[in-house]
Amino acid sequence: MFTTILVALDGSTQSIKVLELASSLTGPDTTLHLVCVVDPAYALDNPDDAFEQQQYPAAAAEQHHAQDLIEQARQRLGLACVRTTLSGEPAEAICAEARRIGSDLIVIGHRHLSFLARLLDPSVGSKVLDAAPCPVLVEVR
C-alpha cells in the first residue's frame, strides 16, 4: 500500500476523477498531498496580505482560486490531507514536491491531445511521466 500520495489538481472536470482514483488507493497509514500549481507570474508570498491584494489583484485572485480548489477537494474527500499551492512550471513543480515529500505515487489527469497539439505543447502529464521520482498513475477517463 502507498503511504504518501501526491495528487495534482488543476480544476478541470477531470480533477474529480483524479481525486476519486487517489482516494481509492488510500489505507489507514496513507497521507494524501493535494497540490495545485500556480503560474509563477501569479505567485505571491502572502496572498492574504492587504497590500499584495491591492497591488496585485489578479495574482491574489489566482492564488485564492488554487487554495479554494484544494480546500474543496479536501472537503469532497472528507479525509485529513496536506494541502499545498506551488508555483512554477507545473510538471517541474509537481516532481520537485514529490521528491521533497518522498512520495510513493503521483496521481494526475491526462489531457487528450492530438499528435500535433502534443508536439506544440506537451501535456503536463507527459512531462511528469518523464521526470517523476516515483510511479505515476494517470487518470484517463
Side-chain angles (χ1 to χ4, degrees):
M1 192 53 73
F2 301 105
T3 57
T4 306
I5 300 175
L6 185 147
V7 184
L9 303 170
D10 64 1
S12 68
T13 56
Q14 190 181 29
S15 289
I16 293 170
K17 292 178 183 177
V18 169
L19 195 59
E20 290 170 352
L21 178 61
S23 69
S24 74
L25 301 169
T26 62
D29 298 326
T30 305
T31 302
L32 286 179
H33 291 258
L34 307 178
V35 301
C36 182
V37 182
V38 176
D39 186 295
Y42 292 97
L44 298 174
D45 291 331
N46 184 3
D48 295 322
D49 179 70
F51 176 77
E52 287 194 355
Q53 287 182 4
Q54 183 180 9
Q55 293 299 310
Y56 310 105
E62 186 72 17
Q63 197 91 25
H64 284 123
H65 176 72
Q67 291 169 341
D68 289 346
L69 171 71
I70 292 172
E71 179 56 25
Q72 289 171 7
R74 187 205 60 79
Q75 289 175 2
R76 183 177 188 90
L77 283 174
L79 302 171
C81 302
V82 177
R83 301 174 310 269
T84 308
T85 56
L86 306 170
S87 68
E89 191 282 318
E92 290 175 10
I94 290 166
C95 291
E97 183 68 3
R99 275 190 290 282
R100 187 187 74 76
I101 65 173
S103 182
D104 301 317
L105 179 70
I106 299 170
V107 182
I108 58 174
H110 173 68
R111 293 187 307 167
H112 297 280
L113 301 174
S114 69
F115 176 74
L116 182 57
R118 283 193 307 269
L119 283 176
L120 297 175
D121 183 23
S123 71
V124 171
S126 177
K127 291 178 184 178
V128 169
L129 284 169
D130 289 340
C134 61
V136 178
L137 182 58
V138 181
E139 170 29 72
V140 295
R141 286 185 264 153

